[in-house]
Amino acid sequence: MKQIQPKSLFVASCLALLVTSLSFGIRAGILGQLGVQFHLNAQELSIIAGTAFWGFPLAVVLGGFIVDAIGMKRLLIAAFVLHLLGIVLTIATPYFSSGFWPLFISTLFIGMANGTVEAACNPLVATIFPDNKTTKLNHFHLWFPGGIVVGALVVFLFKELGYAGLWQLQVGLMIIPTLLYGYLFSKLDFPVTERVAAGVSNAQMYRSVTSPLFFFMFICMFGTAITELFTNQWIEILLKNVTENGILILALTAGVQVLGRAVAGPIVHRLSPTGVLFISAILSALGLYLMGSQSGSMLFVAAVIFGLGITYFWPTMLGFVSENIPESGALGMNLMGGAGMFAVSIYMMFMGGFYDSIIGKNLPSGGTLDTFRSAAPGTAEAAAYAQAQAVAGPEIINVTLVIPIILIVAFGGLYFYMRGRSKQQLQTA
């Protein structure tokens, strides 16, 4: 008979998510450096970074369809292999004739590994903590910003010590937690998913993911994911010439998320998931507005407000679906995660070209974008390019601000809809 160890499974899940988030934090910190070393423009960098975001939904949606059949353990072993391949290939990039394709493929592997981790671990957490799903999903997902904090601080420390060029060593640090979670999962027994244990049929599951409420949350996931993940992944580039501490702003934002998710229980129970989402949208919009309009020390205030805003988005969206549309099972949670990452990948690729176009419009005539981008430090061309970047970053942030403003309306409506539905259910009972 299987001996299920919920605490051990939860610890191993957190380690797996730590690898996922380290990849985000370290990549965000070294993205600009990779562009310089391998002569990649902003659009190419955005395609590479965006690969992690569409590799994720590819894996998480596929995982959602097969996890009930093959089990969560096999999925997590696949995640371990993909993480290891992606990390090693990234480190080996300088040994190839072109930097773009090795970085593209390695980032795809890591993105697929990240998606596979979520495809298995989200339903695993919901299964081993059936009476406290939203709170435990918040506790689990605190390791995502937690890893971003660690990754961002690693990048900052290397930079301050004068070893910024050792980006391969920074990436290589991810191998340690990867080996740890691979070993732990290989030794542990797993339960079947909650849907399988409850005897919910495939037909019931498919009906639930086509319901109006699920469709509404699916669309809202586009906005919550873009607001959080696009901004965090590009923050160092967007604020590069507004502040010298772009990577610290990322670390501060992620640090706020860690603390917020650690105390999620009483907040979610007091405000309700819909109330939390509504307030989160308001704070996210305010934080983005301040980021796009302020400079200096006020950017750190903006980072705290923005961090508070995005803290509960991802886990609360998943928890809401798991609690209010339980028949959707692992598929419902994974479709939500896939929707979020897919939206980010598309948005990121579009914004890469838009960022370059804004820079181009703000450069003096007499040279191409590449001429100004590759200009030697201290030259007039380099100064002009830096000035154009200082305009382009906040403009991208201001465009993105529209998304949480729309979410304020959407989640305000959801809050009153769910209150009305609860009252109706009480009256019927």
Side-chain angles (χ1 to χ4, degrees):
M1 188 174 181
K2 288 185 177 181
Q3 284 290 99
I4 307 301
Q5 302 175 49
K7 288 184 179 178
S8 297
L9 287 169
F10 187 73
V11 169
S13 298
C14 292
L15 276 170
L17 192 61
L18 176 63
V19 178
T20 294
S21 56
L22 279 173
S23 72
F24 279 82
I26 291 175
R27 186 171 59 245
I30 67 174
L31 203 57
Q33 189 178 339
L34 293 176
V36 173
Q37 181 170 339
F38 298 109
H39 308 291
L40 305 169
N41 59 35
Q43 187 164 21
E44 288 171 323
L45 285 175
S46 67
I47 290 171
I48 289 168
T51 301
F53 290 95
W54 65 258
F56 183 106
L58 181 69
V60 79
V61 173
L62 177 62
F65 280 101
I66 65 174
V67 64
D68 291 329
I70 71 170
M72 293 175 276
K73 183 168 185 170
R74 288 191 178 93
L75 273 186
L76 286 163
I77 291 172
F80 164 73
V81 172
L82 286 167
H83 265 143
L84 209 54
L85 286 173
I87 293 166
V88 171
L89 182 55
T90 302
I91 294 169
T93 298
Y95 301 102
F96 293 86
S97 57
S98 166
F100 177 82
W101 285 110
L103 289 172
F104 179 91
I105 295 169
S106 63
T107 307
L108 176 61
F109 282 165
I110 290 173
M112 291 177 67
N114 295 347
T116 306
V117 165
E118 291 243 359
C121 288
N122 283 326
L124 175 60
V125 172
T127 298
I128 59 180
F129 300 107
D131 300 321
N132 206 15
K133 295 178 186 178
T134 299
T135 298
K136 295 308 291 185
L137 282 167
N138 269 284
H139 290 167
F140 167 56
H141 279 278
L142 76 79
W143 289 94
F144 187 82
I148 290 177
V149 171
V150 174
L153 291 178
V154 164
V155 172
F156 179 76
L157 183 61
F158 271 70
K159 183 179 178 181
E160 289 298 300
L161 294 175
Y163 299 121
L166 299 178
W167 60 266
Q168 290 161 291
L169 180 57
Q170 297 171 47
V171 173
L173 292 174
M174 292 191 290
I175 291 177
I176 299 170
T178 300
L179 293 175
L180 282 173
Y181 92 72
Y183 172 77
L184 288 173
F185 278 136
S186 69
K187 298 294 183 182
L188 291 168
D189 290 321
F190 283 67
V192 296
T193 61
E194 190 178 25
R195 181 188 73 83
V196 172
V200 176
S201 68
N202 286 338
Q204 289 174 287
M205 178 181 69
Y206 290 127
R207 275 198 302 272
S208 69
V209 298
T210 57
S211 67
L213 182 58
F214 184 87
F215 182 74
F216 174 82
M217 296 302 291
F218 185 84
I219 298 300
C220 287
M221 193 70 177
F222 292 174
T224 59
I226 289 172
T227 302
E228 175 184 353
L229 297 176
F230 166 75
T231 308
N232 277 351
Q233 186 72 166
W234 262 58
I235 199 71
E236 203 270 339
I237 292 175
L238 294 177
L239 297 179
K240 187 178 183 67
N241 291 93
V242 179
T243 175
E244 295 179 356
N245 299 304
I247 198 67
L248 286 185
I249 289 174
L250 172 62
L252 179 59
T253 301
V256 171
Q257 288 181 268
V258 172
L259 293 174
R261 289 178 182 178
V263 297
I267 293 173
V268 171
H269 289 301
R270 183 170 182 81
L271 295 177
S272 81
T274 51
V276 168
L277 290 171
F278 178 58
I279 294 171
S280 295
I282 294 172
L283 292 174
S284 297
L286 178 58
L288 275 182
Y289 170 75
L290 291 173
M291 265 190 208
S293 60
Q294 303 296 314
S295 59
S297 58
M298 273 302 295
L299 283 173
F300 291 94
V301 176
V304 171
I305 296 172
F306 180 68
L308 288 170
I310 61 176
T311 290
Y312 301 112
F313 268 159
W314 191 279
T316 304
M317 293 289 284
L318 297 181
F320 178 90
V321 168
S322 184
E323 289 180 359
N324 293 280
I325 318 173
E327 297 85 1
S328 63
L331 178 62
M333 298 176 75
N334 290 332
L335 285 176
M336 289 289 289
M341 285 294 187
F342 178 74
V344 174
S345 71
I346 298 300
Y347 192 78
M348 190 171 288
M349 285 188 279
F350 172 75
M351 282 297 163
F354 186 42
Y355 180 78
D356 276 342
S357 71
I358 297 170
I359 290 178
K361 290 175 185 176
N362 286 277
L363 289 173
S365 58
T368 64
L369 185 60
D370 286 335
T371 302
F372 284 95
R373 182 185 289 115
S374 58
T379 62
E381 288 81 3
Y385 186 72
Q387 190 174 1
Q389 280 185 306
V391 174
E395 191 166 331
I396 294 290
I397 291 173
N398 288 333
V399 170
T400 305
L401 172 60
V402 174
I403 295 174
I405 291 174
I406 294 171
L407 289 174
I408 292 172
V409 178
F411 288 141
L414 179 66
Y415 175 76
F416 288 108
Y417 169 76
M418 293 304 294
R419 278 189 64 183
R421 195 169 83 161
S422 298
K423 287 180 181 178
Q424 189 176 20
Q425 289 173 344
L426 286 172
Q427 290 171 355
T428 303

